[in-house]
Amino acid sequence: MKNFFDYIFRPKKNPRYEALRKYGIQESINTSMIVGPAIILAMCACLLFSFIRPDSYAEEAFIAEYRYSYAAMAIAIAIYMIILLVFKRRFDDNYKKIPALNSITVTLIIAWSIRMIILDNIAYGGVDAMLYMIVSFCIPFCFYLDARIYLLLTGAADLIVLGMYLNEGTDSAASGSNFRDFAIFVAVQLILGCLTSYLKHMMRQQLLEKEEQGEQIKQLNEAQSRFFSNMSHEIRTPINTIIGLNEMILRQNASEEINEDAQNIQAASRMLLHLINDILDMSKFESGQMKLNNAAYHTGDMLSDIVGMLWIKAREKNLAFHVDISPELPSELYGDEVRIKQVLINILNNAIKYTSEGYVRLAIQCERDNEGGALVTYSVSDTGMGIKKESIPHLFTAFKRVDEARNRYIEGTGLGLSIVKNLTDLMGGKISVNSIYTKGSTFMITIPQKIINDEPVGELDMEDHHSRSHAEHEYVESFEAPEAKVLVVDDTVANLMVVEKLLKETKLTVDTSESGPEALKKTLEKHYDVILMDHKMPGMDGVECMHAIRDQAGGYCHDSRIIALTANAGSDNESMYAREGFDGYLMKPVTGEELENTVYRMLPKSLITSTHTAQSLEEESIEWIRDHKKKTAVRISAGSVADIPAVLQSRYGIAVIPHIVRTQDGVFKDGIEIEPNGLLAYMADPTALAKSEPPMPEQLEKFFSAQLDEANNIIYVSLSSGLEEGEYPRISEVAEDFGNVSVVDSGHLSSGLGLMAIEAARLANEGMSYENIISRLERMRGHIHTTFIVDTLDFLVRQKLVSASMGSMADAFMVHPVVALKKGKMKVSKVYFGSREQAWERYIANAFNVPGKIDTRMLFITYVGMTTRELEKVKEMAEKYMSFDEVFIQKASPTIAANCGPGTFGLLFYTEY
């Protein structure tokens, strides 16, 4: 570690220098965080000590300046530490500024310390031991600077102090004592200097060891990446031959047995290829070499390719394959099409693999922003075996398969979902999982992308796409061009044979070359419209050959379209070929469809004499695009105890699940199988009891699953978590199984909870994000006012919410209690005496007397067992004190009815937040 001037004025050529420098600066910050407070405390101690020292020889002004110096140094070091903390938060942006800050601070500390020594000498006629000890400790504060700076500063301070000691007098005893003190202080400095030098040496050694280990790890990662890349290339070459020749067998329409065998070979080859791709991608992630290749792409074409790969596989298992694409999806987006396809194919393939009956569904939604971007949500759901709750945290771990005992006969490596998670993160998206074991799963992937063409994709016509899929069984060439000439360059004879055979039916004239020099001879003799070029060839590789053809003197192919046909996989390679000047890119193994489509696009249209399309598949294969149902971004839900009027449930799209009312005569669904009036009639018997309970876990699972079919995210607004045997714990436990369900504790009951749900739904309909809605609800909780005035405490006594003695006393004195929720229990908060209407009047007047400005958009009058005339009277009283845009008179849920009894009502509203 060099000093500050070396840092600034003498840049080093050593590649490790910058790492050493950063490490040293980090250590200096850590040391400053320890030494700095110690110095501040020492300064404060000296300042305090100055008030209790013997009388000074100096004037009061010197004493004041002396004390001021201590205070100023303590404040300066505190400011320095604050600046260091700010720099530390963004270390990579600011670390180059820290050495200058440290050097300036240390210089000021030394200069200020010497000034204080002089002031101490003037004020008290000598050098104080504590002051000099502080100076001795201040100087090593710069241990991360060069040792020469340390010796220079300590030497300068020692000479100054020594001179002051010599000037104190000639008394031998005093001189001896002074020199003894001085010798001790110098010894302390030497010890501290040796200690700091040792610390520097250890730091350097540790950093060098870490650098060496890092270099070794880097070399191992590079070797591993080269190995996987080479293995991928070498394996793809024979697979190209297998798949290509196997496709020729399928084209021949041989016997059913031969076709079945050929299809099995095709499936096994593609499975092997998929495995190779996963391993190669995993190695890239581990070595940090995975990169995206963003480009404009057509959403309809990409989705057609995905569906074409998987719908036949689903049909082979007798599974329904539903696809629901929003017609509002932009027709052209900017992103890594290859990686998005890889993510969706992995998820869909897993869904088909782990589903034995039912369906697999792909749904796509799009939310535009104001900056020319879109958040595209891909949802894949199935009716398969589902995932255990305890297995979900391990779902995206590489090389790990969940529920091994049950899935041991299902093929797979355990890499697919790990790659999906890594790719999604790399693209700036996120992935979540909702699953019910034995019933199915839903994977939701959101990926931000830029909009290139905002024209909606509309109703996609997949008929042509499915025809191409069917062509694997009933081949029809896509075009004929007998006058066109194609040259194929590859050092593997089998690859040349495969391309020749795959292009045979198009009537193209196909020539082949086994090396670059041989290809150059042919381009000197003949013009080729398209050249298919392998990359890795002995002698002259494909890139060199391509440039040689472009620059060939007397050659006929300067302007020919040259396509890289190579086993070098990956979007980074595709980008490299584009930079080198290739006109296209095909990755081995190549299918006949891909080869024909690419050659067709490259050929001059004047050479193409005819085009053909395969026969259409059954109408059922395109039924999936017919009916689109757009998912909402956020769905608000609550229990029936929220007491939300049906008109507001419909207006805001709030989903409500009924609670359970348990009586001595049976169990009933709240609001469906039992109404408040029926419950009150049942409880007219003093011995009758009723208890409200939240829905059972299996009911909640079905409820959330159904809502997630219609929305990407669910917010459930629950009763107060403080309620004994309330719904919050159960709802939260079930919601943990769903990655897109959040439970918000309302802190209220009845329509107070309903007000929160309504406000959340209103915000969702306005387009507010999932996270922001939850944040707004957290702020709203303390602004809702929920109270009820009851006729009698009999029902509260029966439910053991208040004591029997309190109930008897209320009846004796004609008391009308007001109940409110406090710490999770319904408790009496106030009482009013007199007739019912007098109590109502005072309750209403007092209810609106709350801090803050009342939001006058909505008022709930929630009641139990009251007549229409009584309710009109209550509404008239309320409107006398406060005018609201809408007043809803809502019958309370059986929960409130069972607890409060007839003649109960409450005013529920909220203040602005």
Side-chain angles (χ1 to χ4, degrees):
M1 248 103 28
K2 295 297 183 181
N3 59 38
F4 168 64
F5 299 100
D6 283 343
Y7 284 149
I8 301 300
F9 301 113
R10 301 175 192 170
K12 299 297 182 291
K13 296 181 180 179
N14 184 349
R16 295 185 184 179
Y17 174 70
E18 194 66 19
L20 287 164
R21 183 184 183 195
K22 290 179 73 172
Y23 186 75
I25 292 170
Q26 285 177 327
E27 289 301 316
S28 76
I29 293 176
N30 296 334
T31 304
S32 299
M33 294 299 106
I34 298 172
V35 177
I39 295 177
I40 293 173
L41 290 174
M43 293 291 109
C44 295
C46 286
L47 183 61
L48 179 64
F49 186 65
S50 70
F51 288 95
I52 61 175
R53 293 178 68 176
D55 293 337
S56 169
Y57 299 103
E59 296 179 3
E60 186 64 30
F62 280 103
I63 302 297
E65 187 171 357
Y66 175 77
R67 293 168 179 166
Y68 161 74
S69 298
Y70 276 120
M73 181 178 284
I75 293 171
I77 295 175
I79 293 172
Y80 159 76
M81 291 181 63
I82 291 171
I83 296 173
L84 267 189
L85 288 172
V86 173
F87 282 176
K88 188 177 181 181
R89 291 185 64 183
R90 300 186 64 182
F91 181 78
D92 289 336
D93 295 335
N94 297 309
Y95 78 92
K96 293 182 180 179
K97 304 173 186 176
I98 293 174
L101 175 67
N102 289 340
S103 299
I104 293 169
T105 303
V106 169
T107 303
L108 291 175
I109 288 174
I110 299 304
W112 205 258
S113 299
I114 293 172
R115 180 177 183 275
M116 287 194 296
I117 291 173
I118 296 171
L119 285 172
D120 188 272
N121 189 62
I122 294 173
Y124 295 99
V127 181
D128 182 66
M130 181 177 287
L131 174 60
Y132 188 65
M133 184 66 74
I134 291 168
V135 176
S136 298
F137 276 92
C138 283
I139 296 172
F141 181 51
C142 60
F143 78 93
Y144 46 85
L145 299 179
D146 194 280
R148 292 170 295 179
I149 299 294
Y150 173 77
L151 293 173
L152 179 65
L153 293 173
T154 55
D158 289 342
L159 287 174
I160 293 171
V161 174
L162 180 61
M164 292 182 178
Y165 275 140
L166 291 174
N167 289 331
E168 286 190 6
T170 58
D171 181 81
S172 59
S175 297
S177 176
N178 286 340
F179 279 107
R180 185 174 62 251
D181 292 343
F182 180 72
I184 293 172
F185 296 146
V186 172
V188 169
Q189 288 178 344
L190 290 174
I191 293 171
L192 289 172
C194 292
L195 178 62
T196 54
S197 297
Y198 175 73
L199 290 173
K200 286 172 60 178
H201 172 73
M202 293 301 297
M203 284 168 47
R204 186 186 295 272
Q205 290 298 114
Q206 290 176 4
L207 181 60
L208 289 175
E209 289 176 4
K210 288 173 65 177
E211 288 288 311
E212 290 174 1
Q213 292 174 358
E215 190 67 26
Q216 291 175 0
I217 293 171
K218 181 180 178 182
Q219 291 174 0
L220 286 172
N221 284 335
E222 289 176 352
Q224 176 182 279
S225 297
R226 285 194 301 271
F227 170 77
F228 282 125
S229 179
N230 290 336
M231 286 300 297
S232 172
H233 182 276
E234 295 304 318
I235 294 174
R236 282 175 182 276
T237 299
I239 290 180
N240 183 59
T241 305
I242 295 170
I243 291 179
L245 296 180
N246 191 69
E247 183 171 340
M248 297 307 301
I249 295 174
L250 288 171
R251 288 183 181 184
Q252 292 171 3
N253 293 322
S255 67
E256 184 176 344
E257 182 179 357
I258 292 175
N259 282 339
E260 184 179 355
D261 292 341
Q263 289 169 13
N264 289 334
I265 293 172
Q266 200 87 342
S269 300
R270 293 194 179 279
M271 183 58 64
L272 178 59
L273 183 62
H274 183 71
L275 175 61
I276 294 167
N277 289 337
D278 281 352
I279 294 173
L280 180 61
D281 286 342
M282 204 67 226
S283 71
K284 286 184 177 181
F285 277 117
E286 289 178 350
S287 61
Q289 295 179 357
M290 178 62 77
K291 295 180 182 178
L292 297 176
N293 183 27
N294 291 325
Y297 71 93
H298 293 281
T299 53
D301 292 344
M302 183 197 75
L303 295 172
S304 295
D305 291 343
I306 293 171
V307 175
M309 292 180 197
L310 295 166
W311 84 276
I312 292 179
K313 186 175 180 179
R315 195 176 65 172
E316 288 173 352
K317 294 187 68 175
N318 294 319
L319 299 176
F321 189 24
H322 306 299
V323 181
D324 185 10
I325 302 174
S326 170
E328 299 174 2
L329 183 71
S331 59
E332 195 171 357
L333 294 171
Y334 183 85
D336 193 330
E337 177 186 9
V338 173
R339 297 306 179 187
I340 295 172
K341 285 171 67 174
Q342 186 176 355
V343 166
L344 293 179
I345 289 170
N346 261 309
I347 297 291
L348 284 165
N349 191 50
N350 273 359
I352 295 170
K353 188 191 304 182
Y354 291 99
T355 302
S356 57
E357 59 181 0
Y359 66 85
V360 172
R361 174 182 287 116
L362 169 65
I364 302 174
Q365 300 288 325
C366 176
E367 294 181 23
R368 292 169 172 79
D369 58 30
N370 297 324
E371 300 177 356
L375 188 65
V376 184
T377 300
Y378 308 91
S379 176
V380 177
S381 55
D382 61 65
T383 56
M385 61 179 62
I387 306 164
K388 291 181 179 178
K389 179 180 177 181
E390 60 270 20
S391 298
I392 289 179
H394 308 291
L395 203 56
F396 301 107
T397 303
F399 304 106
K400 183 176 180 65
R401 301 183 71 195
V402 298
D403 204 1
E404 284 277 10
R406 186 171 184 179
N407 301 333
R408 63 187 183 276
Y409 298 118
I410 298 178
E411 60 192 15
T413 62
L415 284 177
L417 288 180
S418 176
I419 291 171
V420 165
K421 179 69 166 65
N422 286 328
L423 285 175
T424 303
D425 292 342
L426 189 64
M427 291 185 285
K430 65 178 183 178
I431 182 170
S432 59
V433 185
N434 303 314
S435 185
I436 301 175
Y437 190 55
T438 73
K439 296 183 180 179
S441 306
T442 298
F443 285 78
M444 191 170 295
I445 304 105
T446 55
I447 300 174
Q449 299 171 67
K450 293 181 181 178
I451 298 175
I452 300 299
N453 187 345
D454 199 22
E455 182 181 351
V457 71
E459 291 291 337
L460 294 177
D461 184 3
M462 293 287 113
E463 187 170 354
D464 180 58
H465 142 69
H466 287 294
S467 299
R468 295 199 305 271
S469 298
H470 189 61
E472 293 180 3
H473 303 283
E474 297 178 7
Y475 170 76
V476 176
E477 69 276 8
S478 57
F479 70 94
E480 291 180 0
E483 299 299 323
K485 299 178 180 63
V486 175
L487 175 64
V488 186
V489 186
D490 200 306
D491 62 315
T492 303
V493 176
N495 287 337
L496 298 174
M497 177 181 60
V498 166
V499 175
E500 276 190 287
K501 287 180 176 291
L502 290 177
L503 293 177
K504 181 179 179 181
E505 299 300 325
T506 62
K507 296 184 171 55
L508 290 164
T509 301
V510 180
D511 292 341
T512 61
S513 295
E514 295 182 26
S515 66
E518 184 182 342
L520 290 174
K521 290 180 181 179
K522 293 193 174 183
T523 56
L524 273 173
E525 300 169 355
K526 188 187 297 186
H527 169 74
Y528 292 99
D529 301 291
V530 175
I531 300 174
L532 299 170
M533 181 76 67
D534 186 26
H535 181 186
K536 291 186 177 182
M537 296 184 293
M540 177 183 288
D541 68 20
V543 176
E544 293 173 330
C545 186
M546 183 271 295
H547 287 300
I549 291 172
R550 299 288 193 208
D551 301 331
Q552 188 178 39
Y556 289 95
C557 299
H558 296 160
D559 299 324
S560 298
R561 310 298 293 275
I562 303 179
I563 301 165
L565 177 57
T566 176
N568 287 344
S571 56
D572 48 348
N573 285 319
E574 184 176 357
S575 301
M576 183 271 291
Y577 292 124
R579 290 193 302 270
E580 290 291 343
F582 283 90
D583 297 293
Y585 169 78
L586 278 172
M587 183 174 62
K588 297 175 185 175
V590 64
T591 65
E593 178 188 0
E594 292 171 337
L595 187 60
E596 286 187 13
N597 288 343
T598 302
V599 172
Y600 175 82
R601 288 198 302 270
M602 297 296 174
L603 283 174
K605 296 300 178 280
S606 59
L607 297 178
I608 299 171
T609 59
S610 63
T611 59
H612 306 277
T613 58
Q615 296 298 317
S616 300
L617 284 182
E618 299 91 337
E619 181 64 22
E620 66 183 51
S621 66
I622 58 172
E623 284 297 321
W624 58 270
I625 198 64
R626 299 299 183 215
D627 42 319
H628 167 73
K629 184 178 181 181
K630 183 177 180 180
K631 280 190 175 184
T632 58
V634 182
R635 168 66 58 84
I636 307 302
S637 60
S640 58
V641 292
D643 294 333
I644 303 173
V647 63
L648 293 181
Q649 292 181 31
S650 176
R651 180 193 300 179
Y652 294 106
I654 301 172
V656 175
I657 182 171
H659 274 226
I660 296 170
V661 178
R662 190 178 298 276
T663 70
Q664 292 152 315
D665 293 339
V667 178
F668 307 94
K669 290 183 179 180
D670 178 11
I672 298 176
E673 299 172 343
I674 190 169
E675 291 287 342
N677 290 341
L679 182 62
L680 290 176
Y682 168 77
M683 295 191 69
D685 181 356
T687 62
L689 293 175
K691 183 180 179 182
S692 176
E693 296 178 0
M696 300 304 291
E698 55 271 19
Q699 295 172 323
L700 290 167
E701 289 176 352
K702 290 180 180 179
F703 175 73
F704 287 141
S705 295
Q707 299 311 312
L708 285 170
D709 285 341
E710 301 179 3
N712 294 331
N713 300 283
I714 304 297
I715 296 176
Y716 186 94
V717 186
S718 85
L719 284 168
S720 171
S721 60
L723 284 169
E724 292 183 1
E725 300 181 5
E727 67 172 350
Y728 184 81
R730 182 178 295 178
I731 304 287
S732 299
E733 183 178 357
V734 174
E736 288 178 359
D737 296 338
F738 297 85
N740 302 75
V741 177
S742 291
V743 182
V744 176
D745 174 15
S746 71
H748 294 272
L749 72 164
S750 186
S751 297
L753 149 64
L755 284 169
M756 281 189 75
I758 293 167
E759 177 68 1
R762 185 183 65 80
L763 296 173
N765 292 343
E766 290 177 358
M768 183 175 286
S769 70
Y770 179 64
E771 294 80 6
N772 287 342
I773 292 174
I774 294 175
S775 177
R776 290 283 292 270
L777 292 180
E778 296 290 342
R779 295 206 308 269
M780 182 183 183
R781 183 188 296 126
H783 292 263
I784 294 178
H785 299 271
T786 305
T787 56
F788 290 88
I789 183 168
V790 301
D791 255 4
T792 175
L793 290 180
D794 288 349
F795 280 71
L796 289 169
V797 170
R798 195 182 305 181
Q799 299 292 345
K800 298 182 180 179
L801 297 175
V802 299
S803 64
S805 58
M806 182 178 289
S808 301
M809 189 179 298
D811 289 341
F813 291 95
M814 296 181 63
V815 170
H816 300 276
V818 175
V819 296
L821 195 66
K822 293 184 179 180
K823 295 182 179 180
K825 293 185 177 181
M826 294 180 68
K827 294 185 177 180
V828 176
S829 62
K830 292 182 181 179
V831 294
Y832 294 105
F833 296 91
S835 66
R836 294 178 72 196
E837 292 193 2
Q838 289 174 338
W840 292 353
E841 183 85 28
R842 288 197 290 272
Y843 162 70
I844 292 171
N846 189 68
F848 291 131
N849 185 21
V850 294
K853 184 178 180 182
I854 295 176
D855 190 311
T856 57
R857 284 178 295 179
M858 193 175 297
L859 170 68
F860 276 90
I861 301 176
T862 304
Y863 71 94
V864 179
M866 296 179 67
T867 65
T868 302
R869 189 189 67 80
E870 289 172 335
L871 291 171
E872 289 296 330
K873 182 67 175 178
V874 169
K875 181 181 178 183
E876 182 182 334
M877 291 180 182
E879 290 177 338
K880 183 172 66 174
Y881 289 97
M882 182 72 64
S883 177
F884 288 85
D885 296 341
E886 291 183 291
V887 178
F888 293 95
I889 299 176
Q890 173 67 17
K891 188 181 295 185
S893 65
T895 301
I896 297 296
N899 288 329
C900 298
T904 297
F905 76 89
L907 302 182
L908 298 96
F909 56 91
Y910 60 95
T911 54
E912 295 180 359
Y913 61 98

